[in-house]
mmCIF file of all heavy atoms in Angstrom:
data_model
loop_
_atom_site.group_PDB
_atom_site.id
_atom_site.type_symbol
_atom_site.label_atom_id
_atom_site.label_comp_id
_atom_site.label_asym_id
_atom_site.label_seq_id
_atom_site.Cartn_x
_atom_site.Cartn_y
_atom_site.Cartn_z
ATOM 1 N N CYS A 100 -135.302 243.676 30.029
ATOM 2 C CA CYS A 100 -135.999 242.432 30.394
ATOM 3 C C CYS A 100 -135.784 242.133 31.871
ATOM 4 O O CYS A 100 -136.714 241.708 32.570
ATOM 5 C CB CYS A 100 -135.490 241.260 29.554
ATOM 6 S SG CYS A 100 -135.854 241.383 27.791
ATOM 7 N N ALA A 101 -134.561 242.357 32.327
ATOM 8 C CA ALA A 101 -134.239 242.128 33.738
ATOM 9 C C ALA A 101 -135.042 243.073 34.630
ATOM 10 O O ALA A 101 -135.570 242.677 35.670
ATOM 11 C CB ALA A 101 -132.748 242.310 33.974
ATOM 12 N N GLN A 102 -135.142 244.343 34.209
ATOM 13 C CA GLN A 102 -135.870 245.329 34.997
ATOM 14 C C GLN A 102 -137.365 245.013 35.060
ATOM 15 O O GLN A 102 -138.018 245.210 36.081
ATOM 16 C CB GLN A 102 -135.666 246.721 34.391
ATOM 17 C CG GLN A 102 -134.244 247.238 34.516
ATOM 18 C CD GLN A 102 -134.006 248.480 33.691
ATOM 19 O OE1 GLN A 102 -134.957 249.112 33.208
ATOM 20 N NE2 GLN A 102 -132.746 248.847 33.503
ATOM 21 N N PHE A 103 -137.917 244.516 33.946
ATOM 22 C CA PHE A 103 -139.350 244.258 33.877
ATOM 23 C C PHE A 103 -139.740 242.892 34.446
ATOM 24 O O PHE A 103 -140.929 242.632 34.645
ATOM 25 C CB PHE A 103 -139.835 244.358 32.423
ATOM 26 C CG PHE A 103 -140.355 245.721 32.078
ATOM 27 C CD1 PHE A 103 -139.482 246.791 31.942
ATOM 28 C CD2 PHE A 103 -141.710 245.940 31.902
ATOM 29 C CE1 PHE A 103 -139.946 248.055 31.631
ATOM 30 C CE2 PHE A 103 -142.193 247.197 31.594
ATOM 31 C CZ PHE A 103 -141.313 248.263 31.457
ATOM 32 N N HIS A 104 -138.767 242.043 34.708
ATOM 33 C CA HIS A 104 -139.073 240.697 35.178
ATOM 34 C C HIS A 104 -139.899 240.709 36.457
ATOM 35 O O HIS A 104 -140.939 240.037 36.550
ATOM 36 C CB HIS A 104 -137.786 239.902 35.394
ATOM 37 C CG HIS A 104 -138.013 238.533 35.930
ATOM 38 N ND1 HIS A 104 -138.619 237.527 35.192
ATOM 39 C CD2 HIS A 104 -137.740 237.976 37.145
ATOM 40 C CE1 HIS A 104 -138.701 236.425 35.925
ATOM 41 N NE2 HIS A 104 -138.180 236.678 37.108
ATOM 42 N N HIS A 105 -139.449 241.482 37.440
ATOM 43 C CA HIS A 105 -140.187 241.499 38.718
ATOM 44 C C HIS A 105 -141.528 242.203 38.573
ATOM 45 O O HIS A 105 -142.474 241.933 39.310
ATOM 46 C CB HIS A 105 -139.336 242.154 39.814
ATOM 47 C CG HIS A 105 -139.275 243.643 39.750
ATOM 48 N ND1 HIS A 105 -138.434 244.314 38.889
ATOM 49 C CD2 HIS A 105 -139.967 244.605 40.438
ATOM 50 C CE1 HIS A 105 -138.598 245.615 39.049
ATOM 51 N NE2 HIS A 105 -139.510 245.826 39.972
ATOM 52 N N LEU A 106 -141.636 243.116 37.594
ATOM 53 C CA LEU A 106 -142.897 243.816 37.366
ATOM 54 C C LEU A 106 -143.958 242.870 36.789
ATOM 55 O O LEU A 106 -145.116 242.899 37.210
ATOM 56 C CB LEU A 106 -142.682 245.003 36.419
ATOM 57 C CG LEU A 106 -141.775 246.129 36.938
ATOM 58 C CD1 LEU A 106 -141.565 247.187 35.863
ATOM 59 C CD2 LEU A 106 -142.366 246.756 38.198
ATOM 60 N N THR A 107 -143.547 242.031 35.851
ATOM 61 C CA THR A 107 -144.498 241.060 35.292
ATOM 62 C C THR A 107 -144.904 240.054 36.358
ATOM 63 O O THR A 107 -146.053 239.593 36.376
ATOM 64 C CB THR A 107 -143.911 240.330 34.069
ATOM 65 O OG1 THR A 107 -142.672 239.704 34.426
ATOM 66 C CG2 THR A 107 -143.672 241.277 32.916
ATOM 67 N N LYS A 108 -143.989 239.743 37.277
ATOM 68 C CA LYS A 108 -144.323 238.821 38.371
ATOM 69 C C LYS A 108 -145.382 239.427 39.290
ATOM 70 O O LYS A 108 -146.260 238.709 39.790
ATOM 71 C CB LYS A 108 -143.059 238.466 39.170
ATOM 72 C CG LYS A 108 -142.140 237.479 38.459
ATOM 73 C CD LYS A 108 -140.890 237.186 39.262
ATOM 74 C CE LYS A 108 -141.179 236.382 40.500
ATOM 75 N NZ LYS A 108 -139.946 236.016 41.236
ATOM 76 N N THR A 109 -145.317 240.741 39.486
ATOM 77 C CA THR A 109 -146.335 241.386 40.330
ATOM 78 C C THR A 109 -147.705 241.334 39.655
ATOM 79 O O THR A 109 -148.727 241.201 40.325
ATOM 80 C CB THR A 109 -145.976 242.862 40.629
ATOM 81 O OG1 THR A 109 -145.954 243.606 39.405
ATOM 82 C CG2 THR A 109 -144.628 242.970 41.317
ATOM 83 N N LEU A 110 -147.719 241.419 38.322
ATOM 84 C CA LEU A 110 -148.985 241.333 37.580
ATOM 85 C C LEU A 110 -149.573 239.927 37.692
ATOM 86 O O LEU A 110 -150.781 239.758 37.836
ATOM 87 C CB LEU A 110 -148.765 241.690 36.109
ATOM 88 C CG LEU A 110 -148.419 243.152 35.813
ATOM 89 C CD1 LEU A 110 -148.124 243.335 34.335
ATOM 90 C CD2 LEU A 110 -149.549 244.073 36.244
#
Side-chain angles (χ1 to χ4, degrees):
C100 294
Q102 292 169 13
F103 266 72
H104 178 68
H105 77 279
L106 296 176
T107 56
K108 285 178 70 176
T109 63
L110 291 176

